[in-house]
Amino acid sequence: AANLGEIRNMAGLPTPQGFGVTAYACHQFFKQSGINKLVKERLKNIDISDTSTLNSACSEIKSLIKDSHLPQQLENSILQEMTIIQKELGSDIRLAVRSSATGEDSESSFAGQHSTLLNITPKNIVEAYKEVVASAFNPRAVFYKRSKGYRDVDVLMSVLCLVMVDSASSGVMYSVSPTSHQDDDLYISANWGLGISVVDGSMPTDFWRFSRTTRKVVDHNIQTKKEMITIDNEQGIVTQMVPAELQNIPCLNQQQIETLADYALKLEEHFAWPVDMEWAVDRSGNIILLQARPLQRIVDDVNEDDDHMQDLSAYELILEGGMTASSGTASGPAYHVQSDHNLSAVPEGAIIIAPQTSPRYVSIMSRISGIITDVGSVTGHMSSVAREFRLPTLVSTTNATRLIPNYQTITLDANQRKVYLGEVQTLLRQTKPVNLMKDSPVWKLVHNTLKKIIPLNLTDPKKNNFRPSGCITLHDIVRFSHEMAMREMFNLNRDIRTGRYRTTHLDTTPDLNIEILDLGGGLKDISPDTKATQKNILSMPFKALLAGMFHKDVRWTTPADLNMVDFASIVRKRMTEESAQKAGIDIPNYAILSKEYLNFNASLGYHFVTIDAYCSKYVNDNYITFSFKGGAADVQRRTRRATLIGAILKKLGFKAEQSSDMIKAEMKKYDCKRLGDRLNLIGRLLGSILLLDMVITDDQEIAWYVEQFLKGNYTFEK
């Protein structure tokens, strides 16, 4: 409606007189009549691919809308505008009552999804308004709306009320090709009478291709037009026979074609986008513009010339001709449908074969592979939506329903306007998935929301902005919280040493100097002055780890093959590098635990180990993480031992990564029994690998050590 007003008042081109009823008026109507509540109830969680359920829900909503009374102020306003027009043009005028919903004629065309009522008398304007409003819940409109990322609240029906043009001929014009970036010619489709037969594809139409460069017609196809749709004497529209002398001649003359091209180019310049323009020629020969919206140019990425190079002589060509409404190739069973066909019966993946195009087919476009019709135009509503859905579509073939056998597998090449019997694999291409929701309200909402979630600004904890006030996104909050939590976790050892927390010594043989901090539920029957034993441990992960560490076959001794001369040399070197005081400190190992949790930080010999584990009845929360670094030997030998540990962990089902002498491994989302078993084996591993970095001198030996550990030879005796 806004575009049409701009065409009349700013571009200075002829349009019908009329007025618009705002989307806010529709909102008030729905709010006061309780329609919003029914819409939410009936369409909540509905499966739009379930055609019968969708039809039932939409029928109920539409009935309520048409049976409800308009707010009195709204009804009075509509009648008042109607009176103003009648005073100027006469009481016997007729109206076209058209949809102009929010979102319509934008990035999403909504072409043919809502209703247009033609030849309405002024006394029936209110009922016509309600019927157009109700068409927002046409099943095909709901399907299209949901598929394109519109919520029900995003589409409110504004209604355009225009003085009806008694058309001699009508049609649609595109200012560029909708399927090719290289084709900037203008496309015109037209028929005698009202243009509804052009946009709904119900009748054969004349076609012209007009060059903007030479300002001449470069191609045309004049059809036999036996029928046309006209204004009825009473109300509504009727189908009539075209006079015999007009059936085989063009419904536009050269001057009219040139005028239409001139209007289209002016609108293209005014709006700064290619136009999809509806128009009518009245009984006096004047051209009147009825609509202009952005033309979405949707092009297949494939180079069509590649098809010409293929030898397809082995395949039976059963149809050639027609017009490419939407480019692409597809294969599937042919399925013939009629205008009144039960669309829920159309099988998945079928290519539908129909006498004419129809906006009804939109509701099944997500589950069919292609469309072929006898009649229809590239400029029709169904063709527009087929391009949006990237659905290969061939129209105006004249004889597809006669030539293509029902239920037989066929291959449609819409680019070359050919149909083959069987599946022609060489023609079929992998196409990029179509993002139908791009630029829709839902897409924009999600896109803007993600800007507040994903970007990370707090990348360096040392920078001044690493503080609560520096958190701009949710990712920042998570990063900041994680950093603070990790600092506190790793400060626990410091706090324990300074006496902030009371710990309990774990009595083991040999004594590994383990201090326990119980966060709650990890120990039982412990008094402040007593030591803990394995019997006092309630923490499931720690109990499993200790069972492995003190397994009867784990010795916690130096390997038999250890070269004591090399070992003594390394010890002397370490003692030289560190102060005697520091080297003499007996550093404790800490286990922080609860009934289901364990964090074990240990310095065992000359290497460092951290185990973090959670074992609960909630499998998705359960995990083990393991890290290991260091050793007594040089980095090459330490790396060999790390490789050995990584190989064993992978055999046990862990995901492990190695960097020099460091191993990091994890296991997630397993039940407690499995995690407990793996913690037991990690405990055995810790007691078996002491100073192995001093023993393994060759990479070839690693496989033998892995095998022996898995056999239970934890001392690696040969």
Side-chain angles (χ1 to χ4, degrees), residues 445-506:
L445 176 63
V446 172
H447 187 71
N448 292 331
T449 302
L450 289 179
K451 290 180 180 178
K452 296 292 186 181
I453 297 175
I454 292 178
L456 178 63
N457 304 289
L458 303 188
T459 56
D460 188 351
K462 297 177 183 178
K463 289 187 176 180
N464 292 332
N465 71 329
F466 204 90
R467 60 183 67 187
S469 60
C471 295
I472 300 173
T473 66
L474 183 60
H475 197 169
D476 291 335
I477 295 172
V478 172
R479 174 69 181 91
F480 179 81
S481 301
H482 178 264
E483 178 67 25
M484 295 300 105
M486 293 305 295
R487 288 182 187 180
E488 287 304 306
M489 176 172 285
F490 286 106
N491 284 338
L492 279 173
N493 289 350
R494 178 201 64 192
D495 294 337
I496 291 170
R497 293 191 193 101
T498 59
R500 183 177 177 184
Y501 299 114
R502 186 181 69 81
T503 62
T504 302
H505 186 79
L506 180 63

Side-chain angles (χ1 to χ4, degrees), residues 424-463:
V424 183
Q425 191 64 44
T426 56
L427 283 178
L428 303 177
R429 311 180 182 94
Q430 287 289 336
T431 57
K432 295 179 181 179
V434 181
N435 184 2
L436 292 172
M437 293 192 177
K438 188 174 181 181
D439 295 325
S440 70
V442 168
W443 186 90
K444 291 175 181 176
L445 176 63
V446 172
H447 187 71
N448 292 331
T449 302
L450 289 179
K451 290 180 180 178
K452 296 292 186 181
I453 297 175
I454 292 178
L456 178 63
N457 304 289
L458 303 188
T459 56
D460 188 351
K462 297 177 183 178
K463 289 187 176 180

Side-chain angles (χ1 to χ4, degrees), residues 397-418:
T397 64
T398 70
N399 54 4
T401 53
R402 180 172 60 84
L403 295 179
I404 299 176
N406 206 7
Y407 308 121
Q408 292 294 310
T409 298
I410 60 171
T411 297
L412 164 63
D413 184 351
N415 301 323
Q416 301 302 321
R417 300 176 292 281
K418 294 179 180 180

Side-chain angles (χ1 to χ4, degrees), residues 372-390:
I372 305 172
T373 67
D374 292 343
V375 175
S377 72
V378 175
T379 58
H381 286 158
M382 191 209 74
S383 296
S384 296
V385 180
R387 288 190 290 272
E388 292 179 34
F389 277 74
R390 306 297 200 277

